[in-house]
């Protein structure tokens, strides 16, 4: 917590606070500020409400307010009430906020505090130390600082008010005709010190009145709270005889207290009526304001609880929700003994297994299974063997190059039940393939639900510019490795991720069934999406178009609607490839000669290049160790930058470790005769394709071999076709990509600009 300093106050003729202003500030505090502060306290304490429970679980925890409705609502409930339909679902709450705050308080004020005066006079220094220790011990000792740290950590700030010294005993009382002795004077000073009350004012009671021109100056200070009275609030004496048991019906009486402090006077109101008004003998506001973490130009400080609320909600959601497909939840003691294992069934019921693995019972989806003990540990263990085998098959097929559609078809044809006992779909397969839990890791911070704060990869809070729920990029995920038993290896997971990324990069080329000639080649310059092929049906027949996938997937907020007739664009692209064969005016034989010369030159490379990341890994490891060494130096001022640099280095190391050592193969040597025969066959196939004599799938393969890409600018209705500069370049690339894996990108391209409209494609210089 930051060091507290007394707030300064104004001394002018306008120091008295208007009654209407007080009423407005108190109303706003009760209506808006106090509920927000109460939410912070609820997440810290997580108190149990026994009046809001049901027959299955006779209480409701405060943190349940942050759980999604699918976990808190009763099955089939259509309203917000969760007591409908026979009870509430099981939820598990693990309060991680409380122990963080308690650890902070114990770290700061876990030991007794001593005071030492630096006064030059030893006798005076001794008296000052005795006075301060007397005041300190009279107000709870170190517990005073612990209360301040606790309240400040939860609410973001705490105020401290001094009472008693100006209202009670005075130092000058005594016999007037003779001066007190030194010992008597010291005793009176200590008695006065013991009468001083240092009151911690928690944020829900504090209503500061700030100077409009300077938030650091207090014009006044208002305390508003509800005080219990030592009497019962009931309508009549006969009420205690009601209910047959002699119990008094009613409640303890309360009164709303409002204290208004200024530098000149103190006014006290009970239920809005003035009951006391006195002079402030101190002549100043006896308030010290302590911020937990300061905010610029704001009276309130930053709370420790607020940035942890979204993480706490995510933790409770994970603990209360079903385990990932293929896993069960197992409860174990701190010494490793298994208590039970819970398996979620597709219909919402759960199977409970004992420590020996035998099934004990089937638990209804509305039945509570008992609260998890604080010391218990919940971990994921492999579940039903059929589900485990399905997970492994999904990753194996993806790593072998199969897409989501083929995997779905394979699983459904084998009769493998999906996560909800339904048929498999693309989203279910994609969710499994993207979940690192299957190689034994857990991921946090995939999404941000906080309105004001998000979380960095090292766990520190960060300010948000958007209040809505957002999906965080992979670089901000918090991944903890080796948490539970994996179902697949890390190598297989990485291989599957690489295969999915390769398919995304290839677009339509990766799909096994392309129905359109240019699928995967057309990309929008504005939104980055590929163009899809679609059919528009009307009374005049079917019309095929290439359409912008960005607009089709996410609407006008991503890109505008753009469509190009497939027939016109296909014919125009084939015409450009036909011109490529006669581009230079040179003979085809000269183009073949150029191809042979370039290919023979490339074949003279004696050795293959290899990609070995070991040297880069060694360099990064040295930098990581050096950064860790710097972080141990507590006197450095740029520790946050060093932590961020350490995270970047570890991410680079992880990427290099996951990359296999690749060797770039050399181009095999070939004779001039073989090259000439191959080129002749290619030219013959190209000529047959341009003449329409090839089957559709061979035609698509041929076009993709000679077309680099097609870029579309939707708002200008302009496109660019990228093809090789010469026929020799096209033949050279095709030969190299055939014999050398990993070199499928065309180089030395030229662009041809075109526009479209009224079903026509027009070329431009």
């Amino acid at each position: 917590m930051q060091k507290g300093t007394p707030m300064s106050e104004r001394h002018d003729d306008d120091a008295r606070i208007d009654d209407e202003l007080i009423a407005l500030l108190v109303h706003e505090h009760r209506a808006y500020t106090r509920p927000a502060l109460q939410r912070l306290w609820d997440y810290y304490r997580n108190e149990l409400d026994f009046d809001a429970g049901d027959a299955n679980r006779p209480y409701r925890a405060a943190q349940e307010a942050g759980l999604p409705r699918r976990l808190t609502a009763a099955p089939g409930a259509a309203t917000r009430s969760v007591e409908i339909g026979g009870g509430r679902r099981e939820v598990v709450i693990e309060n991680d906020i409380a122990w963080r705050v308690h650890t902070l308080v114990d770290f700061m004020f876990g030991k007794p505090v001593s005071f030492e005066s630096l006064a030059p006079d030893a006798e005076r220094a001794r008296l000052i130390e005795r006075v301060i220790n007397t005041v300190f011990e009279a107000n709870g000792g170190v517990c005073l600082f612990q209360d301040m740290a606790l309240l400040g950590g939860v609410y973001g700030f705490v105020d401290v008010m001094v009472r008693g010294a100006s209202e009670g005993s005075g130092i000058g009382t005594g016999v007037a005709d003779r001066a007190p002795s030194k010992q008597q004077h010291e005793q009176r000073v200590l008695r006065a010190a013991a009468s001083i009350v240092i009151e911690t004012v928690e944020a829900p009671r504090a209503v500061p009145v700030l100077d409009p021109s300077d938030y650091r100056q207090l014009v006044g200070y208002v305390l508003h709270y509800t005080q219990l009275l030592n009497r019962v609030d009931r309508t009549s004496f006969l009420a205690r005889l009601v209910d047959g048991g002699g119990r008094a019906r009613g409640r303890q009486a309360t009164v709303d207290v409002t204290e208004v402090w200024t530098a000149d006077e103190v006014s006290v109101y009970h239920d809005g009526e003035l009951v006391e008004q006195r002079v402030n003998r101190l002549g100043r506001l006896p308030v010290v304001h302590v911020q937990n973490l300061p905010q610029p130009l704001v009276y309130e400080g930053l709370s420790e609880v607020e940035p942890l609320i979204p993480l706490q909600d995510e933790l409770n959601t994970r603990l209360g929700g079903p385990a990932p497909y293929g896993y069960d939840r197992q409860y174990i003691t701190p010494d490793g003994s298994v208590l039970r294992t819970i398996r979620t069934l597709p219909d919402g019921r759960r199977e409970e297994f004992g420590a020996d693995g035998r099934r004990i019972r089937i638990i209804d989806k509305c039945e509570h299974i008992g609260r998890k003990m604080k010391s218990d540990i919940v971990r994921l263990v492999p579940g039903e063997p059929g589900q485990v085998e399905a997970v492994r098959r999904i990753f194996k097929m993806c790593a072998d190059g199969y897409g989501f559609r083929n995997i779905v078809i394979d699983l459904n044809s084998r009769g493998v039940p999906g996560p909800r006992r339904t048929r498999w779909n693309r989203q279910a397969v994609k969710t499994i393939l993207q979940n690192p839990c299957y190689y034994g890791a857990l991921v946090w911070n995939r999404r941000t639900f906080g309105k004001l704060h998000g979380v960095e990869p090292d766990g520190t809070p960060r300010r948000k510019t958007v209040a809505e729920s957002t999906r965080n990029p992979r670089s901000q995920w918090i991944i903890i490795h080796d948490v539970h038993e994996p179902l697949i290896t890390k190598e297989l997971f990485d291989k599957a991720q690489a295969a999915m990324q390769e398919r995304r990069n290839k677009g339509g080329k990766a799909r096994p069934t392309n129905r359109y000639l240019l699928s995967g080649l057309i990309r929008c310059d504005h939104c980055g999406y590929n163009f899809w092929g679609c059919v528009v049906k009307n009374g005049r027949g079917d019309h095929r178009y290439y359409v912008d996938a960005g607009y089709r997937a996410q609407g006008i907020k991503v890109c505008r609607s753009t469509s190009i007739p497939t027939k016109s664009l296909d014919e125009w692209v084939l015409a450009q490839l036909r011109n490529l064969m006669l581009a230079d005016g040179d003979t085809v034989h000269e183009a073949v000669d150029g191809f042979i010369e370039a290919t023979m030159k490339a074949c003279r490379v004696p050795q293959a290049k290899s990609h070995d990341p070991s040297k880069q890994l060694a360099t990064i490891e040295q930098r990581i160790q050096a950064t860790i060494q710097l972080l141990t130096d507590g006197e450095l001022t740029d520790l946050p930058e060093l932590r961020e640099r350490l995270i970047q280095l570890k991410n680079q190391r992880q990427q290099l470790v996951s990359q296999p050592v690749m060797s770039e193969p050399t181009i095999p040597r070939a004779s001039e005769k073989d090259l000439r025969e191959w080129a002749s066959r290619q030219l013959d196939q190209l000529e047959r394709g341009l003449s329409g004599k090839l089957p559709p799938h061979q035609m698509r393969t041929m076009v993709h071999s000679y077309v680099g890409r097609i870029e579309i600018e939707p708002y200008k209705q302009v496109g660019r076709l990228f093809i090789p500069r010469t026929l020799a370049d096209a033949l050279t690339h095709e030969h190299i990509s055939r014999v050398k894996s990993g070199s499928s990108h065309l180089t030395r391209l030229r662009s041809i600009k075109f526009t479209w409209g009224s079903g026509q494609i027009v070329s431009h210089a």
Side-chain angles (χ1 to χ4, degrees):
M1 297 179 66
Q2 302 297 313
K3 180 180 178 181
T5 56
M7 301 289 290
S8 57
E9 59 282 315
R10 283 171 38 183
H11 296 275
D12 52 28
D13 296 336
D14 195 29
R16 195 178 188 284
I17 307 174
D18 184 75
D19 291 343
E20 293 184 359
L21 177 61
I22 296 176
L24 176 63
L25 293 177
V26 169
H27 170 73
E28 292 180 345
H29 180 77
R30 296 185 66 172
Y32 307 111
T33 306
R34 187 180 291 179
L37 295 172
Q38 184 62 42
R39 182 169 180 262
L40 299 177
W41 184 261
D42 288 343
Y43 265 82
Y44 155 67
R45 283 285 294 120
N46 192 34
E47 296 184 69
L48 303 181
D49 184 1
F50 288 92
D51 294 331
D54 57 20
N56 293 325
R57 188 158 57 117
Y59 63 84
R60 182 188 301 278
Q63 289 185 9
E64 289 187 37
L67 293 177
R69 179 176 168 77
R70 61 182 173 84
L71 295 182
T72 58
T79 64
R80 184 171 180 80
S81 175
V82 297
E83 286 80 21
I84 317 174
R88 298 186 292 135
R89 296 184 188 274
E90 173 208 0
V91 295
V92 181
I93 300 295
E94 181 75 46
N95 189 1
D96 274 8
I97 294 180
W99 73 262
R100 290 174 183 264
V101 175
H102 293 165
T103 302
L104 170 67
V105 173
D106 184 68
F107 174 77
M108 296 180 64
F109 301 110
K111 298 180 180 179
V113 179
S114 61
F115 300 94
E116 181 179 354
S117 174
L118 299 180
D121 186 357
E123 192 68 22
R124 187 175 182 83
R126 183 188 63 82
L127 179 59
I128 292 174
E129 291 175 359
R130 290 192 63 188
V131 169
I132 294 178
N133 280 307
T134 299
V135 174
F136 184 63
E137 294 299 328
N139 288 276
V142 73
C143 294
L144 174 67
F145 288 158
Q146 292 176 348
D147 291 345
M148 292 171 57
L150 174 62
L151 296 174
V154 173
Y155 294 121
F157 74 94
V158 63
D159 292 337
V160 181
M161 175 171 281
V162 180
R163 298 176 184 262
S166 61
E167 305 169 16
S169 60
I171 298 178
T173 59
V175 182
D177 57 350
R178 63 178 183 180
S181 65
K182 181 177 181 181
Q183 184 178 3
Q184 291 175 333
H185 176 73
E186 184 173 325
Q187 291 177 352
R188 292 176 181 175
V189 170
L190 293 177
R191 282 200 301 270
S195 68
I196 295 176
V197 177
I198 301 179
E199 178 183 355
T200 54
V201 182
E202 63 275 20
R205 288 198 297 152
V207 186
V209 185
L210 305 178
D211 189 332
S213 60
D214 189 351
Y215 77 100
R216 295 168 297 181
Q217 291 189 355
L218 279 174
V219 176
Y221 194 79
V222 179
L223 291 172
H224 182 75
Y225 53 93
T226 300
Q227 182 176 347
L228 294 174
L229 302 178
N230 290 330
R231 59 183 176 85
V232 177
D233 185 9
R234 56 179 180 268
T235 57
S236 69
F237 176 77
L238 295 177
R240 71 176 59 187
L241 301 179
V242 180
D243 219 6
R247 294 175 296 177
R249 300 185 70 182
R251 60 180 181 178
Q252 188 172 359
T254 60
V255 60
D256 287 340
V257 181
T258 304
E259 300 181 28
V260 182
W261 288 72
T262 66
D264 300 327
E265 65 180 12
V266 181
S267 303
V268 181
Y269 299 82
H270 285 183
D271 291 332
E273 296 184 4
L274 181 64
V275 296
E276 181 183 358
Q277 194 169 23
R278 63 179 183 271
V279 176
N280 184 358
R281 297 175 60 184
L282 289 177
R284 61 178 300 171
L285 290 176
V287 178
V288 175
H289 179 62
V290 185
Q291 291 180 321
N292 181 50
L293 291 173
Q295 296 188 87
L297 307 179
V298 179
Y299 180 84
E300 297 81 4
L302 292 174
S303 166
E304 300 286 345
V305 175
E306 184 182 6
L308 296 176
I309 288 178
L311 284 179
Q312 184 67 54
D313 287 343
E314 184 176 357
L315 171 63
N316 293 337
T317 301
R318 288 175 177 269
L319 291 174
Y325 181 84
Y327 275 111
D328 295 338
R329 292 192 183 277
Q330 189 175 79
Y331 294 75
I332 61 176
T333 61
D335 60 1
S337 301
V338 177
L339 297 174
R340 59 183 174 178
T341 302
I342 303 296
R343 174 176 299 169
T344 302
L345 301 176
D347 59 1
R349 297 182 302 163
R350 288 149 294 171
E351 282 185 297
E352 181 177 354
F353 298 87
D356 56 356
R358 295 183 179 181
R359 188 172 71 177
I360 299 176
R361 57 172 176 157
I362 297 291
I363 307 172
D364 188 75
K365 52 188 175 184
C366 297
E367 183 181 351
H368 179 56
I369 61 175
R371 190 183 183 194
K372 184 184 81 69
M373 300 296 293
K374 181 71 176 179
S375 59
D376 292 349
I377 301 172
V378 181
R379 67 181 180 184
L380 298 178
V381 294
E384 185 181 346
Q387 294 186 1
V388 174
E389 181 60 31
V391 169
R392 291 170 177 166
R393 184 171 186 82
I394 289 173
F395 278 95
K396 180 65 167 58
M397 291 185 67
C398 181
D400 290 342
Y402 290 93
F404 299 152
R405 179 175 177 271
N406 284 337
I407 297 176
V408 168
I409 293 174
D410 178 79
L411 294 174
N412 287 331
S413 64
R414 292 175 178 271
V416 179
R420 300 287 181 181
R421 289 292 180 190
T422 58
R423 293 176 61 83
W424 286 90
N425 55 60
R426 295 179 73 258
Q427 186 58 44
V429 172
K430 181 179 179 182
T431 300
I432 291 176
L433 288 171
Q434 292 181 338
N435 196 343
C437 81
Y438 291 106
Y439 70 86
L442 283 182
V443 181
W444 301 87
N445 202 39
R446 286 191 183 187
R447 297 185 66 90
T448 296
F449 298 93
K451 293 184 177 180
L452 301 178
H453 294 88
V455 182
E456 296 290 354
D458 59 353
T460 58
R462 59 176 173 81
R463 279 285 185 178
K464 287 188 63 178
T465 57
V466 181
E468 63 185 11
S469 171
T470 55
R471 186 182 298 275
N472 296 326
R474 188 177 292 268
S475 60
Q476 294 183 6
W477 289 6
I478 302 174
I479 303 178
I480 306 174
H481 299 278
D482 301 325
V483 178
H484 52 262
E485 182 179 349
L487 300 186
I488 60 170
T489 63
K490 180 67 164 56
E491 291 73 20
L492 180 58
F493 181 85
D494 291 337
K495 190 175 180 181
Q497 306 310 304
M500 287 191 292
Q501 184 62 45
E502 183 180 2
R503 293 178 65 83
R504 282 193 292 267
N505 294 337
K506 288 184 176 181
K509 297 180 185 178
R511 299 185 178 93
T513 55
N514 288 323
R515 299 182 180 179
Y516 297 87
L517 183 66
L518 304 177
S519 295
L521 293 176
I522 313 175
R523 183 177 293 269
C524 177
D525 266 356
H526 179 74
C527 64
Y529 281 80
N530 282 354
F531 271 61
W532 292 345
C534 76
V535 180
V536 177
K537 298 182 179 181
N538 54 31
R540 293 177 293 178
D542 297 348
H543 303 274
R544 296 179 180 269
Y545 294 90
Y546 293 111
V547 297
D548 193 316
Y551 173 81
R552 286 300 182 99
Q554 302 189 33
I556 193 64
K557 66 179 182 179
V558 172
C559 200
R560 68 173 296 178
S561 176
T562 305
S563 59
I564 306 174
T566 58
K567 182 179 179 181
S568 301
L569 187 58
D570 292 348
E571 292 177 352
W572 182 81
V573 170
L574 292 176
Q576 303 308 312
L577 293 179
R578 192 177 294 109
N579 294 336
L580 178 64
M581 297 186 63
L582 307 173
D584 302 325
D586 298 333
T587 63
V588 174
H589 296 287
E590 291 177 348
V592 173
D593 291 341
F595 150 70
I596 294 175
E597 181 181 356
T599 305
M600 296 294 290
K601 183 178 180 181
C603 292
R604 298 191 187 102
V605 180
Q607 294 182 350
K609 297 181 180 179
S610 62
H611 171 67
D612 187 0
S614 58
K615 293 184 179 180
Q616 298 181 36
L617 279 173
T619 303
I620 291 179
E621 192 65 38
Q622 292 178 358
R623 293 177 180 175
I624 289 176
Q625 297 302 323
T627 305
I628 293 176
Q629 192 69 25
L630 289 174
L631 285 172
T632 59
D633 188 355
E635 298 182 357
L636 292 178
T637 59
D638 54 352
L639 292 180
E641 297 180 4
L642 288 174
R643 293 191 187 99
E644 183 177 356
R645 179 58 178 162
L646 181 61
I647 294 172
Q648 295 175 355
L649 290 172
K650 287 184 177 181
N651 289 337
Q652 293 177 12
R653 180 179 63 181
Q654 184 63 29
Q655 292 176 0
L656 288 175
V657 168
S658 61
Q659 292 178 359
V661 178
M662 301 290 295
S663 295
E664 183 179 349
T666 57
I667 302 175
R669 295 181 178 275
S671 65
E672 181 177 345
K673 178 182 178 181
D674 294 337
L675 291 175
R676 192 174 297 277
E677 291 178 354
W678 178 86
S680 299
R681 290 194 301 270
Q682 290 298 115
L683 291 175
D684 180 65
Q685 185 182 29
L686 178 60
E687 183 177 0
R688 291 175 58 201
L690 296 176
S691 302
K693 298 179 181 180
L694 289 179
H697 67 280
Q698 294 185 14
M699 188 71 174
R700 285 192 295 270
T701 303
M702 185 269 294
V703 170
H704 282 255
S705 300
Y706 292 99
V707 175
R709 64 187 183 277
I710 301 175
E711 296 178 353
I712 301 296
E713 298 179 15
Y715 289 91
K716 296 181 180 179
Q717 289 194 337
V718 173
R720 286 180 172 81
L721 168 68
F722 291 85
I723 59 176
R725 295 179 179 273
T726 64
L727 182 59
D729 292 339
L731 291 172
T732 302
H733 162 75
E734 179 65 17
H735 177 74
I736 292 176
S737 63
R738 182 177 66 89
V739 299
K740 180 181 176 183
S741 61
S743 300
S744 58
H745 296 289
L746 284 164
T747 57
R748 293 176 55 83
L749 301 176
R750 64 186 178 96
S751 65
I752 304 174
K753 182 179 178 182
F754 65 92
T755 57
W756 67 91
S758 301
Q760 300 293 326
I761 305 295
V762 181
S763 302
H764 296 272

